[in-house]
Each structure stands twice: as C-alpha cells, then as structure tokens.
Amino acid sequence: MSRENVELHNVAEPLPADDGVRLDRLPPAVTEPFNDRSQEEYERPDGVEIRFVGESAEITLSCPEGSCEATPFWGPFQGRPAEHVTLGAEPTTIELSLPERVAAVDRDRLDDRYFDPTVGRLVLFGNPVVLHDVSGDVRPPEPAERPDGTLLTYGTSITQGACASRYPVTYGHQAARHLGADHLNLGSGGSAFCENALADYVAGRDDWDWAVLAVSVNMIAADFDADEFGERVRYLVDTVAGAHPDKPVAAVTLYPFFADLCPDSSDGDEWPATPSEYRQELRDAVAAADRDNLHLIEGPDLLQDPGGLSTDLLHPMDHGMTEIAHRLADRLRER
C-alpha cells in the first residue's frame, strides 16, 4: 500500500480518521464477520511500517488512545534506543535523517536478503495510530531495494508480539530476517478464531512466499470444542495451501503453555477440549489436506525451553521469541 511519497507496509487500507488516516492491517470489509475483539486487534499497527527512500523525512503520527512504539530502521540497521519514540494522543513529528555511517556502507557486504540501507523504515507496535503527514524529498522504495521474499504469519497474541519488549524481537520479524525476507503480521491477540473469511483473505493474497498458521490457544479459552476447532482449521490450512501450491505453508500446533506445565492446576478445567486434542486436530487437518506444500510443525518443538515464557506461562518473552524464530526459520528453509 502506497500513500503519496511513502510505502505503508502491512497496511491493507488507510481509513480517514482525526485529520489523517488510521493504519489498519486488514480492511473492515474482511474483518466484518470476525469477532469484536479481532476487529479491534486488526486496527492495531503491529508490524506496520512507514517506508521511504531519501536523505531525511518528517513523519507526523498520533495514537489517540493509549500509546504506540515507533522504532526507526535504515535498511537492516535498527536505530539506537534513544531514537525510539513513544506516540501518544498529541500528534508527534518524528525527524529521520540517513546516518552518515549507514550511507557509507559497502553494498558488497550486503546481499539481496537485506533492505537497501537508504530505505528509511519506521516500525510501529501498539495501539491504533493515525498518520497525519509526511514531508521531505522522499519516494517509496523500489522492489530491488527490499528483500525478495515475504513471510506471512497468522496466529494469536504470540504471533502479534504481545510480550516482546519491542516489535523487532517478535518471532515473525526475527524469522523473516533469518530467511532474508520481508514480514506481514496478521496476528490477532485473544481472538484468532480461524474464521473462514480470514482463510479466504490470506488465500486471495499473492504478496507472500511463506505462510505460517500458528493456531490457536484462543479458541480453547473461547470454548470451541475439538470438533469445532478441527472444522475451522481444516478449512484454513487446505484453503491457504490449496490456493498457492508452489508456496510453503506451515501449520504450527499450540506452543507449550500453562496447561502443559501445570498438570495439577485447575486452569482449563472448564475447557471443552484439551491442548492435546487441539494439537491432534491440526495434525489430522494437515494429513487430510494431503498437499505437498503444507507442512506440520509442532509448537513444542519450536519452543523447547519453558523458561522462554513470561510469568503467565502463555506468552513468550524475548528469549522465547528468539528461540521460536531460529527454529521456525530452520524448518522453513528445509522445506
């Protein structure tokens, strides 16, 4: 998605709002049949990037409710902590100038896995954001200035990046970097219910080269029994993989969480299914689809260190995200 002189990456449809445009990850026409929480989550700009090529730019943003972190990059090089900006309700103008050392980088030391160092990238992570203005002699990046491939990830708040300290630490962003790819984040915290409309939407997109479907602890907590979960994931994995037979699609079973680590706990006693039943339903869905490009990956194989979780024993922290990212990238390379 481009808007005037910048590229709005991972933005499906800029929507008029508060003297600017809100940077939603999915269009309202797609999210309309989703649950209310999921509709709200796709208004969050987690993994949205404002990209440009030029010596400098001034980008004015606001976060009408709550806050949003803005992390600057130049190509693959992340800005120092002092350059990170926390957005609030008042419009904030972020001034970005190409650092001299980055401009002088020997291009022969980089390859086509990387963004060109002249690509300015403002990476967003937090509550809904409004873009008010971009000024400066800039243009959108050309395809040759971006990585060749793109990794698309769908899943829960773990995929969205809930407990990562900053967005670049999320497993999807890190895995894409290991693959030398760009990243599209379609995580939906607390609300990844594998709707058929979501499956159709991902299947209809042609801007990704790998898809990871990590589903879905949210559905256990929302009282979907094993049969209901199985029906939805069968449609999800078969529809996405079937629409793109030349592209690898990975279905990831539940990551380890408190129900696995606290066997004597009463947590989950009222659930209509067990984590083991959910994992088996996804295994069965992949087997039933019988597609060469569809691959099963076990969540506990990606996150083997339980100490990678936060104290809620559900969401990975930074080191858990890093472990998942490394192993996921390795599995996708194998395929």
Side-chain angles (χ1 to χ4, degrees):
M1 176 66 70
S2 293
R3 181 177 173 83
E4 301 173 355
N5 53 347
V6 296
E7 175 192 352
L8 301 179
H9 173 72
N10 206 28
V11 176
E13 183 177 336
L15 298 174
D18 298 329
D19 192 31
V21 290
R22 196 179 67 214
L23 306 181
D24 290 11
R25 291 179 294 140
L26 288 186
V30 172
T31 62
E32 184 178 2
F34 292 7
N35 61 87
D36 291 345
R37 169 76 182 272
S38 189
Q39 292 179 32
E40 294 172 358
E41 291 299 323
Y42 284 117
E43 295 175 3
R44 294 172 59 94
D46 298 328
V48 163
E49 299 188 20
I50 302 170
R51 297 174 174 173
F52 63 89
V53 175
E55 293 290 328
S56 63
E58 295 184 353
I59 300 174
T60 302
L61 299 157
S62 67
C63 181
E65 296 184 9
S67 64
C68 181
E69 297 295 321
T71 302
F73 279 76
W74 288 93
F77 303 108
Q78 183 175 336
R80 294 170 297 169
E83 299 173 289
H84 298 193
V85 177
T86 300
L87 302 169
E90 291 299 317
T92 298
T93 298
I94 301 173
E95 300 180 2
L96 299 169
S97 297
L98 179 62
E100 290 184 11
R101 290 181 181 175
V102 173
V105 165
D106 181 0
R107 298 302 194 277
D108 291 338
R109 298 295 300 274
L110 304 176
D111 55 36
D112 58 8
R113 296 176 300 158
Y114 294 101
F115 287 89
D116 188 277
T118 59
V119 178
R121 304 163 57 202
L122 196 60
V123 182
L124 304 178
F125 184 43
N127 288 300
V129 159
V130 175
L131 171 62
H132 298 280
D133 186 54
V134 177
S135 61
D137 184 14
V138 296
R139 60 167 175 81
E142 299 290 340
E145 295 166 325
R146 300 190 297 260
D148 285 339
T150 298
L151 171 67
L152 181 148
T153 55
Y154 170 69
T156 67
S157 56
I158 297 171
T159 296
Q160 196 170 348
C163 284
S165 58
R166 290 193 181 276
Y167 186 77
V169 186
T170 60
Y171 83 77
H173 188 96
Q174 290 195 73
R177 187 181 180 99
H178 293 317
L179 291 167
D182 212 336
H183 181 222
L184 294 168
N185 187 339
L186 298 187
S188 183
S191 52
F193 290 173
C194 302
E195 291 92 347
N196 288 0
L198 184 283
D200 293 337
Y201 177 73
V202 174
R205 293 181 67 152
D206 198 34
D207 57 351
W208 54 267
D209 299 277
W210 302 269
V212 174
L213 312 172
V215 290
S216 167
V217 72
N218 297 156
M219 295 178 71
I220 289 184
D223 291 333
F224 286 84
D225 64 27
D227 288 341
E228 293 173 303
F229 173 71
E231 181 179 351
R232 291 199 180 196
V233 295
R234 282 192 295 274
Y235 186 86
L236 173 67
V237 300
D238 191 47
T239 299
V240 173
H244 300 278
D246 57 334
K247 298 181 179 183
V249 176
V252 181
T253 66
L254 301 185
Y255 296 110
F257 69 112
F258 58 81
D260 301 298
L261 301 175
C262 307
D264 297 327
S265 171
S266 61
D267 287 329
D269 282 351
E270 303 302 319
W271 290 341
T274 67
S276 295
E277 289 173 320
Y278 260 46
R279 292 182 179 116
Q280 190 58 50
E281 287 290 343
L282 188 54
R283 295 181 193 115
D284 292 344
V286 171
D290 192 25
R291 296 189 182 277
D292 291 340
N293 64 320
L294 178 60
H295 310 283
L296 180 77
I297 300 178
E298 298 288 349
D301 287 345
L302 298 182
L303 182 61
Q304 297 180 17
D305 177 8
L309 295 171
S310 70
T311 52
D312 68 6
L313 299 186
L314 175 62
H315 295 93
M317 298 298 289
D318 289 356
H319 43 299
M321 290 283 189
T322 298
E323 183 185 7
I324 292 171
H326 277 282
R327 290 205 170 96
L328 177 61
D330 287 344
R331 301 297 193 279
L332 293 175
R333 284 194 200 96
E334 292 169 1
R335 289 152 176 79

